[in-house]
Amino acid sequence: MLHTKAQTFKKVLQSKIPDEALDYCTQLWISHPFHFKITKTRKTKSGDFRFRQNPYSFTITLNHDLNPFNFLITYIHEVAHLINFKQHQNNVPPHGAAWKRNYQQLMQPLLITDVFPEDLLVCLKKHFQNPKASTYSDAKLALVLRSYDQNSPKEQGMKSLAHLEKGQQFEFHDRVFEKGVLRRTRVLCKEMKNGKNYLIPNLALVKLIRES
């Protein structure tokens, strides 16, 4: 029965992650079983881990539109949460030192060129020296990951706000802004229509307005 369920699980993962990581990720599921769901796009998160007391069960959900490398990273991120919960329940911070150790240990066998392309691997190795709660908190890693999206920002004529110069104008959510100064992870930008200032994430995808 377990073998049959493992094969079914493997087929679900097969089109979502690099082939070289398939056996490893399936084995993680065998060692730490959980309900697995692929969901519609969620703007606030790429994945999720949940524990249910009655009946006792774990559930991991991942967004359907993640590129294979992002899907794999997010999958490992959530499995690390599951293992962390089994070890410590809710007695440690969700993204604290214990979770980081589990995340690092789970990712280590995958940090090879057979799984990730070289440009992404370089960013990942640096990121996993001290992994953050979200890969999107790591600006360089997030930009490289996005370049592997099926509808990449480059194909859509989009680019990260981080790549614009101060004073350049751009479109964001059908509104025109002028880039201002960086404040940690957000940029103070002036909306051209009303003259008000807004904080926009430095990694936001925007459309540059070319000067005529």
Side-chain angles (χ1 to χ4, degrees), residues 169-196:
Q169 293 186 8
F170 61 92
E171 288 184 17
F172 182 64
H173 291 175
D174 299 320
R175 296 152 69 187
V176 178
F177 295 87
E178 181 179 276
K179 182 175 180 179
V181 296
L182 178 65
R183 292 187 175 178
R184 299 190 67 183
T185 62
R186 295 174 180 267
V187 181
L188 189 66
C189 301
K190 181 175 74 174
E191 185 182 0
M192 304 309 295
K193 187 174 182 179
N194 61 24
K196 293 182 179 180

PDB file of all heavy atoms in Angstrom, residues 169-196:
ATOM      1  N   GLN A 169      10.717  56.691 -14.283  1.00  0.00           N
ATOM      2  CA  GLN A 169       9.287  56.457 -14.132  1.00  0.00           C
ATOM      3  C   GLN A 169       8.924  55.048 -14.600  1.00  0.00           C
ATOM      4  O   GLN A 169       9.552  54.509 -15.518  1.00  0.00           O
ATOM      5  CB  GLN A 169       8.476  57.500 -14.908  1.00  0.00           C
ATOM      6  CG  GLN A 169       8.611  58.901 -14.342  1.00  0.00           C
ATOM      7  CD  GLN A 169       7.690  59.901 -15.021  1.00  0.00           C
ATOM      8  OE1 GLN A 169       6.826  59.539 -15.826  1.00  0.00           O
ATOM      9  NE2 GLN A 169       7.874  61.184 -14.711  1.00  0.00           N
ATOM     10  N   PHE A 170       7.905  54.489 -13.969  1.00  0.00           N
ATOM     11  CA  PHE A 170       7.502  53.119 -14.274  1.00  0.00           C
ATOM     12  C   PHE A 170       6.021  52.919 -13.991  1.00  0.00           C
ATOM     13  O   PHE A 170       5.395  53.715 -13.263  1.00  0.00           O
ATOM     14  CB  PHE A 170       8.320  52.133 -13.432  1.00  0.00           C
ATOM     15  CG  PHE A 170       8.148  52.304 -11.941  1.00  0.00           C
ATOM     16  CD1 PHE A 170       7.177  51.594 -11.246  1.00  0.00           C
ATOM     17  CD2 PHE A 170       8.955  53.193 -11.229  1.00  0.00           C
ATOM     18  CE1 PHE A 170       7.009  51.767  -9.871  1.00  0.00           C
ATOM     19  CE2 PHE A 170       8.798  53.362  -9.859  1.00  0.00           C
ATOM     20  CZ  PHE A 170       7.822  52.647  -9.174  1.00  0.00           C
ATOM     21  N   GLU A 171       5.464  51.858 -14.583  1.00  0.00           N
ATOM     22  CA  GLU A 171       4.079  51.477 -14.324  1.00  0.00           C
ATOM     23  C   GLU A 171       4.047  50.337 -13.314  1.00  0.00           C
ATOM     24  O   GLU A 171       4.832  49.392 -13.405  1.00  0.00           O
ATOM     25  CB  GLU A 171       3.398  51.017 -15.617  1.00  0.00           C
ATOM     26  CG  GLU A 171       3.104  52.137 -16.594  1.00  0.00           C
ATOM     27  CD  GLU A 171       2.336  51.632 -17.811  1.00  0.00           C
ATOM     28  OE1 GLU A 171       1.775  50.518 -17.737  1.00  0.00           O
ATOM     29  OE2 GLU A 171       2.331  52.337 -18.829  1.00  0.00           O
ATOM     30  N   PHE A 172       3.135  50.440 -12.369  1.00  0.00           N
ATOM     31  CA  PHE A 172       2.951  49.399 -11.359  1.00  0.00           C
ATOM     32  C   PHE A 172       1.478  49.376 -10.974  1.00  0.00           C
ATOM     33  O   PHE A 172       0.937  50.373 -10.512  1.00  0.00           O
ATOM     34  CB  PHE A 172       3.835  49.688 -10.134  1.00  0.00           C
ATOM     35  CG  PHE A 172       3.757  48.643  -9.049  1.00  0.00           C
ATOM     36  CD1 PHE A 172       4.191  47.343  -9.289  1.00  0.00           C
ATOM     37  CD2 PHE A 172       3.266  48.962  -7.796  1.00  0.00           C
ATOM     38  CE1 PHE A 172       4.133  46.378  -8.290  1.00  0.00           C
ATOM     39  CE2 PHE A 172       3.210  48.010  -6.782  1.00  0.00           C
ATOM     40  CZ  PHE A 172       3.640  46.708  -7.041  1.00  0.00           C
ATOM     41  N   HIS A 173       0.816  48.243 -11.230  1.00  0.00           N
ATOM     42  CA  HIS A 173      -0.622  48.097 -10.966  1.00  0.00           C
ATOM     43  C   HIS A 173      -1.422  49.208 -11.660  1.00  0.00           C
ATOM     44  O   HIS A 173      -2.302  49.841 -11.068  1.00  0.00           O
ATOM     45  CB  HIS A 173      -0.905  48.107  -9.464  1.00  0.00           C
ATOM     46  CG  HIS A 173      -0.398  46.870  -8.769  1.00  0.00           C
ATOM     47  ND1 HIS A 173      -0.441  46.705  -7.417  1.00  0.00           N
ATOM     48  CD2 HIS A 173       0.184  45.740  -9.250  1.00  0.00           C
ATOM     49  CE1 HIS A 173       0.068  45.526  -7.081  1.00  0.00           C
ATOM     50  NE2 HIS A 173       0.457  44.921  -8.196  1.00  0.00           N
ATOM     51  N   ASP A 174      -1.079  49.447 -12.933  1.00  0.00           N
ATOM     52  CA  ASP A 174      -1.789  50.411 -13.783  1.00  0.00           C
ATOM     53  C   ASP A 174      -1.668  51.857 -13.295  1.00  0.00           C
ATOM     54  O   ASP A 174      -2.502  52.701 -13.630  1.00  0.00           O
ATOM     55  CB  ASP A 174      -3.269  50.033 -13.911  1.00  0.00           C
ATOM     56  CG  ASP A 174      -3.470  48.675 -14.540  1.00  0.00           C
ATOM     57  OD1 ASP A 174      -2.739  48.361 -15.497  1.00  0.00           O
ATOM     58  OD2 ASP A 174      -4.335  47.917 -14.073  1.00  0.00           O
ATOM     59  N   ARG A 175      -0.647  52.151 -12.520  1.00  0.00           N
ATOM     60  CA  ARG A 175      -0.393  53.515 -12.064  1.00  0.00           C
ATOM     61  C   ARG A 175       1.062  53.873 -12.380  1.00  0.00           C
ATOM     62  O   ARG A 175       1.921  52.996 -12.450  1.00  0.00           O
ATOM     63  CB  ARG A 175      -0.657  53.653 -10.554  1.00  0.00           C
ATOM     64  CG  ARG A 175      -2.113  53.409 -10.197  1.00  0.00           C
ATOM     65  CD  ARG A 175      -2.266  52.887  -8.785  1.00  0.00           C
ATOM     66  NE  ARG A 175      -1.954  53.871  -7.767  1.00  0.00           N
ATOM     67  CZ  ARG A 175      -1.893  53.592  -6.467  1.00  0.00           C
ATOM     68  NH1 ARG A 175      -2.081  52.344  -6.048  1.00  0.00           N
ATOM     69  NH2 ARG A 175      -1.628  54.548  -5.589  1.00  0.00           N
ATOM     70  N   VAL A 176       1.324  55.149 -12.599  1.00  0.00           N
ATOM     71  CA  VAL A 176       2.663  55.603 -12.969  1.00  0.00           C
ATOM     72  C   VAL A 176       3.344  56.210 -11.747  1.00  0.00           C
ATOM     73  O   VAL A 176       2.772  57.067 -11.053  1.00  0.00           O
ATOM     74  CB  VAL A 176       2.603  56.630 -14.113  1.00  0.00           C
ATOM     75  CG1 VAL A 176       4.004  57.136 -14.441  1.00  0.00           C
ATOM     76  CG2 VAL A 176       1.960  56.000 -15.347  1.00  0.00           C
ATOM     77  N   PHE A 177       4.588  55.762 -11.507  1.00  0.00           N
ATOM     78  CA  PHE A 177       5.357  56.239 -10.364  1.00  0.00           C
ATOM     79  C   PHE A 177       6.736  56.704 -10.822  1.00  0.00           C
ATOM     80  O   PHE A 177       7.195  56.374 -11.908  1.00  0.00           O
ATOM     81  CB  PHE A 177       5.564  55.109  -9.338  1.00  0.00           C
ATOM     82  CG  PHE A 177       4.301  54.624  -8.685  1.00  0.00           C
ATOM     83  CD1 PHE A 177       3.536  53.624  -9.279  1.00  0.00           C
ATOM     84  CD2 PHE A 177       3.885  55.155  -7.467  1.00  0.00           C
ATOM     85  CE1 PHE A 177       2.382  53.162  -8.667  1.00  0.00           C
ATOM     86  CE2 PHE A 177       2.728  54.693  -6.846  1.00  0.00           C
ATOM     87  CZ  PHE A 177       1.969  53.692  -7.445  1.00  0.00           C
ATOM     88  N   GLU A 178       7.368  57.457  -9.927  1.00  0.00           N
ATOM     89  CA  GLU A 178       8.766  57.831 -10.108  1.00  0.00           C
ATOM     90  C   GLU A 178       9.565  57.236  -8.955  1.00  0.00           C
ATOM     91  O   GLU A 178       9.190  57.397  -7.794  1.00  0.00           O
ATOM     92  CB  GLU A 178       8.918  59.345 -10.111  1.00  0.00           C
ATOM     93  CG  GLU A 178      10.358  59.819 -10.332  1.00  0.00           C
ATOM     94  CD  GLU A 178      10.462  61.326 -10.342  1.00  0.00           C
ATOM     95  OE1 GLU A 178      10.228  61.916 -11.410  1.00  0.00           O
ATOM     96  OE2 GLU A 178      10.742  61.915  -9.268  1.00  0.00           O
ATOM     97  N   LYS A 179      10.644  56.543  -9.280  1.00  0.00           N
ATOM     98  CA  LYS A 179      11.436  55.888  -8.248  1.00  0.00           C
ATOM     99  C   LYS A 179      12.171  56.906  -7.382  1.00  0.00           C
ATOM    100  O   LYS A 179      12.785  57.837  -7.888  1.00  0.00           O
ATOM    101  CB  LYS A 179      12.442  54.920  -8.869  1.00  0.00           C
ATOM    102  CG  LYS A 179      13.267  54.165  -7.824  1.00  0.00           C
ATOM    103  CD  LYS A 179      14.188  53.126  -8.436  1.00  0.00           C
ATOM    104  CE  LYS A 179      14.991  52.409  -7.347  1.00  0.00           C
ATOM    105  NZ  LYS A 179      15.880  51.370  -7.899  1.00  0.00           N
ATOM    106  N   GLY A 180      12.088  56.654  -6.045  1.00  0.00           N
ATOM    107  CA  GLY A 180      12.785  57.512  -5.100  1.00  0.00           C
ATOM    108  C   GLY A 180      13.890  56.768  -4.385  1.00  0.00           C
ATOM    109  O   GLY A 180      14.638  56.012  -5.012  1.00  0.00           O
ATOM    110  N   VAL A 181      13.971  56.951  -3.081  1.00  0.00           N
ATOM    111  CA  VAL A 181      15.077  56.386  -2.298  1.00  0.00           C
ATOM    112  C   VAL A 181      14.699  55.039  -1.694  1.00  0.00           C
ATOM    113  O   VAL A 181      13.535  54.774  -1.375  1.00  0.00           O
ATOM    114  CB  VAL A 181      15.502  57.351  -1.169  1.00  0.00           C
ATOM    115  CG1 VAL A 181      16.045  58.645  -1.770  1.00  0.00           C
ATOM    116  CG2 VAL A 181      14.343  57.656  -0.228  1.00  0.00           C
ATOM    117  N   LEU A 182      15.704  54.198  -1.520  1.00  0.00           N
ATOM    118  CA  LEU A 182      15.509  52.879  -0.934  1.00  0.00           C
ATOM    119  C   LEU A 182      15.444  52.991   0.585  1.00  0.00           C
ATOM    120  O   LEU A 182      16.270  53.641   1.214  1.00  0.00           O
ATOM    121  CB  LEU A 182      16.666  51.959  -1.333  1.00  0.00           C
ATOM    122  CG  LEU A 182      16.647  50.530  -0.758  1.00  0.00           C
ATOM    123  CD1 LEU A 182      15.457  49.753  -1.301  1.00  0.00           C
ATOM    124  CD2 LEU A 182      17.954  49.820  -1.093  1.00  0.00           C
ATOM    125  N   ARG A 183      14.448  52.337   1.165  1.00  0.00           N
ATOM    126  CA  ARG A 183      14.312  52.246   2.614  1.00  0.00           C
ATOM    127  C   ARG A 183      14.244  50.769   3.002  1.00  0.00           C
ATOM    128  O   ARG A 183      13.195  50.154   2.931  1.00  0.00           O
ATOM    129  CB  ARG A 183      13.065  52.987   3.092  1.00  0.00           C
ATOM    130  CG  ARG A 183      13.147  54.497   2.913  1.00  0.00           C
ATOM    131  CD  ARG A 183      11.975  55.207   3.540  1.00  0.00           C
ATOM    132  NE  ARG A 183      12.107  56.650   3.468  1.00  0.00           N
ATOM    133  CZ  ARG A 183      11.175  57.522   3.911  1.00  0.00           C
ATOM    134  NH1 ARG A 183      10.060  57.051   4.450  1.00  0.00           N
ATOM    135  NH2 ARG A 183      11.379  58.814   3.808  1.00  0.00           N
ATOM    136  N   ARG A 184      15.396  50.214   3.307  1.00  0.00           N
ATOM    137  CA  ARG A 184      15.542  48.791   3.623  1.00  0.00           C
ATOM    138  C   ARG A 184      15.111  47.949   2.421  1.00  0.00           C
ATOM    139  O   ARG A 184      15.796  47.884   1.427  1.00  0.00           O
ATOM    140  CB  ARG A 184      14.775  48.425   4.891  1.00  0.00           C
ATOM    141  CG  ARG A 184      15.275  49.188   6.131  1.00  0.00           C
ATOM    142  CD  ARG A 184      14.672  48.653   7.407  1.00  0.00           C
ATOM    143  NE  ARG A 184      15.137  47.306   7.683  1.00  0.00           N
ATOM    144  CZ  ARG A 184      14.716  46.579   8.713  1.00  0.00           C
ATOM    145  NH1 ARG A 184      13.814  47.067   9.539  1.00  0.00           N
ATOM    146  NH2 ARG A 184      15.188  45.361   8.915  1.00  0.00           N
ATOM    147  N   THR A 185      13.928  47.313   2.482  1.00  0.00           N
ATOM    148  CA  THR A 185      13.502  46.432   1.391  1.00  0.00           C
ATOM    149  C   THR A 185      12.446  47.074   0.496  1.00  0.00           C
ATOM    150  O   THR A 185      11.944  46.422  -0.416  1.00  0.00           O
ATOM    151  CB  THR A 185      12.934  45.119   1.965  1.00  0.00           C
ATOM    152  OG1 THR A 185      11.780  45.411   2.771  1.00  0.00           O
ATOM    153  CG2 THR A 185      13.972  44.390   2.793  1.00  0.00           C
ATOM    154  N   ARG A 186      12.113  48.329   0.759  1.00  0.00           N
ATOM    155  CA  ARG A 186      11.094  49.026  -0.037  1.00  0.00           C
ATOM    156  C   ARG A 186      11.635  50.357  -0.544  1.00  0.00           C
ATOM    157  O   ARG A 186      12.575  50.914   0.018  1.00  0.00           O
ATOM    158  CB  ARG A 186       9.803  49.241   0.777  1.00  0.00           C
ATOM    159  CG  ARG A 186       9.112  47.943   1.149  1.00  0.00           C
ATOM    160  CD  ARG A 186       7.920  48.175   2.065  1.00  0.00           C
ATOM    161  NE  ARG A 186       7.274  46.913   2.399  1.00  0.00           N
ATOM    162  CZ  ARG A 186       6.247  46.380   1.742  1.00  0.00           C
ATOM    163  NH1 ARG A 186       5.735  47.030   0.706  1.00  0.00           N
ATOM    164  NH2 ARG A 186       5.734  45.235   2.092  1.00  0.00           N
ATOM    165  N   VAL A 187      11.000  50.833  -1.614  1.00  0.00           N
ATOM    166  CA  VAL A 187      11.442  52.078  -2.231  1.00  0.00           C
ATOM    167  C   VAL A 187      10.328  53.115  -2.112  1.00  0.00           C
ATOM    168  O   VAL A 187       9.164  52.823  -2.398  1.00  0.00           O
ATOM    169  CB  VAL A 187      11.796  51.878  -3.722  1.00  0.00           C
ATOM    170  CG1 VAL A 187      12.269  53.188  -4.341  1.00  0.00           C
ATOM    171  CG2 VAL A 187      12.863  50.801  -3.876  1.00  0.00           C
ATOM    172  N   LEU A 188      10.687  54.309  -1.665  1.00  0.00           N
ATOM    173  CA  LEU A 188       9.727  55.406  -1.584  1.00  0.00           C
ATOM    174  C   LEU A 188       9.542  55.977  -2.987  1.00  0.00           C
ATOM    175  O   LEU A 188      10.477  56.530  -3.564  1.00  0.00           O
ATOM    176  CB  LEU A 188      10.226  56.488  -0.627  1.00  0.00           C
ATOM    177  CG  LEU A 188       9.222  57.589  -0.279  1.00  0.00           C
ATOM    178  CD1 LEU A 188       8.049  57.018   0.513  1.00  0.00           C
ATOM    179  CD2 LEU A 188       9.903  58.701   0.519  1.00  0.00           C
ATOM    180  N   CYS A 189       8.336  55.822  -3.530  1.00  0.00           N
ATOM    181  CA  CYS A 189       8.059  56.238  -4.911  1.00  0.00           C
ATOM    182  C   CYS A 189       6.890  57.222  -4.940  1.00  0.00           C
ATOM    183  O   CYS A 189       5.931  57.080  -4.170  1.00  0.00           O
ATOM    184  CB  CYS A 189       7.729  55.023  -5.781  1.00  0.00           C
ATOM    185  SG  CYS A 189       9.033  53.786  -5.844  1.00  0.00           S
ATOM    186  N   LYS A 190       6.978  58.182  -5.838  1.00  0.00           N
ATOM    187  CA  LYS A 190       5.916  59.188  -5.971  1.00  0.00           C
ATOM    188  C   LYS A 190       4.983  58.799  -7.113  1.00  0.00           C
ATOM    189  O   LYS A 190       5.426  58.551  -8.236  1.00  0.00           O
ATOM    190  CB  LYS A 190       6.520  60.564  -6.250  1.00  0.00           C
ATOM    191  CG  LYS A 190       5.469  61.676  -6.375  1.00  0.00           C
ATOM    192  CD  LYS A 190       6.109  63.035  -6.540  1.00  0.00           C
ATOM    193  CE  LYS A 190       6.695  63.205  -7.920  1.00  0.00           C
ATOM    194  NZ  LYS A 190       7.203  64.581  -8.154  1.00  0.00           N
ATOM    195  N   GLU A 191       3.683  58.748  -6.803  1.00  0.00           N
ATOM    196  CA  GLU A 191       2.717  58.516  -7.876  1.00  0.00           C
ATOM    197  C   GLU A 191       2.538  59.816  -8.644  1.00  0.00           C
ATOM    198  O   GLU A 191       2.268  60.876  -8.056  1.00  0.00           O
ATOM    199  CB  GLU A 191       1.365  58.041  -7.336  1.00  0.00           C
ATOM    200  CG  GLU A 191       0.403  57.690  -8.471  1.00  0.00           C
ATOM    201  CD  GLU A 191      -0.968  57.254  -8.003  1.00  0.00           C
ATOM    202  OE1 GLU A 191      -1.200  57.214  -6.784  1.00  0.00           O
ATOM    203  OE2 GLU A 191      -1.814  56.977  -8.880  1.00  0.00           O
ATOM    204  N   MET A 192       2.683  59.756  -9.957  1.00  0.00           N
ATOM    205  CA  MET A 192       2.699  60.957 -10.765  1.00  0.00           C
ATOM    206  C   MET A 192       1.337  61.654 -10.813  1.00  0.00           C
ATOM    207  O   MET A 192       1.260  62.875 -10.927  1.00  0.00           O
ATOM    208  CB  MET A 192       3.175  60.629 -12.191  1.00  0.00           C
ATOM    209  CG  MET A 192       4.533  59.948 -12.237  1.00  0.00           C
ATOM    210  SD  MET A 192       5.804  60.827 -11.283  1.00  0.00           S
ATOM    211  CE  MET A 192       5.926  62.348 -12.216  1.00  0.00           C
ATOM    212  N   LYS A 193       0.253  60.887 -10.688  1.00  0.00           N
ATOM    213  CA  LYS A 193      -1.081  61.466 -10.827  1.00  0.00           C
ATOM    214  C   LYS A 193      -1.472  62.313  -9.627  1.00  0.00           C
ATOM    215  O   LYS A 193      -2.026  63.411  -9.780  1.00  0.00           O
ATOM    216  CB  LYS A 193      -2.122  60.366 -11.041  1.00  0.00           C
ATOM    217  CG  LYS A 193      -3.516  60.895 -11.364  1.00  0.00           C
ATOM    218  CD  LYS A 193      -4.449  59.748 -11.708  1.00  0.00           C
ATOM    219  CE  LYS A 193      -5.832  60.271 -12.081  1.00  0.00           C
ATOM    220  NZ  LYS A 193      -6.766  59.160 -12.443  1.00  0.00           N
ATOM    221  N   ASN A 194      -1.200  61.842  -8.424  1.00  0.00           N
ATOM    222  CA  ASN A 194      -1.628  62.586  -7.239  1.00  0.00           C
ATOM    223  C   ASN A 194      -0.484  63.182  -6.422  1.00  0.00           C
ATOM    224  O   ASN A 194      -0.707  63.898  -5.447  1.00  0.00           O
ATOM    225  CB  ASN A 194      -2.498  61.705  -6.330  1.00  0.00           C
ATOM    226  CG  ASN A 194      -1.765  60.479  -5.807  1.00  0.00           C
ATOM    227  OD1 ASN A 194      -0.539  60.464  -5.723  1.00  0.00           O
ATOM    228  ND2 ASN A 194      -2.503  59.437  -5.452  1.00  0.00           N
ATOM    229  N   GLY A 195       0.766  62.876  -6.790  1.00  0.00           N
ATOM    230  CA  GLY A 195       1.914  63.449  -6.106  1.00  0.00           C
ATOM    231  C   GLY A 195       2.226  62.848  -4.751  1.00  0.00           C
ATOM    232  O   GLY A 195       3.149  63.290  -4.069  1.00  0.00           O
ATOM    233  N   LYS A 196       1.473  61.798  -4.350  1.00  0.00           N
ATOM    234  CA  LYS A 196       1.694  61.178  -3.049  1.00  0.00           C
ATOM    235  C   LYS A 196       2.813  60.136  -3.131  1.00  0.00           C
ATOM    236  O   LYS A 196       3.072  59.569  -4.195  1.00  0.00           O
ATOM    237  CB  LYS A 196       0.406  60.515  -2.558  1.00  0.00           C
ATOM    238  CG  LYS A 196      -0.713  61.500  -2.240  1.00  0.00           C
ATOM    239  CD  LYS A 196      -1.940  60.755  -1.715  1.00  0.00           C
ATOM    240  CE  LYS A 196      -3.061  61.731  -1.367  1.00  0.00           C
ATOM    241  NZ  LYS A 196      -4.279  61.036  -0.848  1.00  0.00           N
TER     242      LYS A 196
END
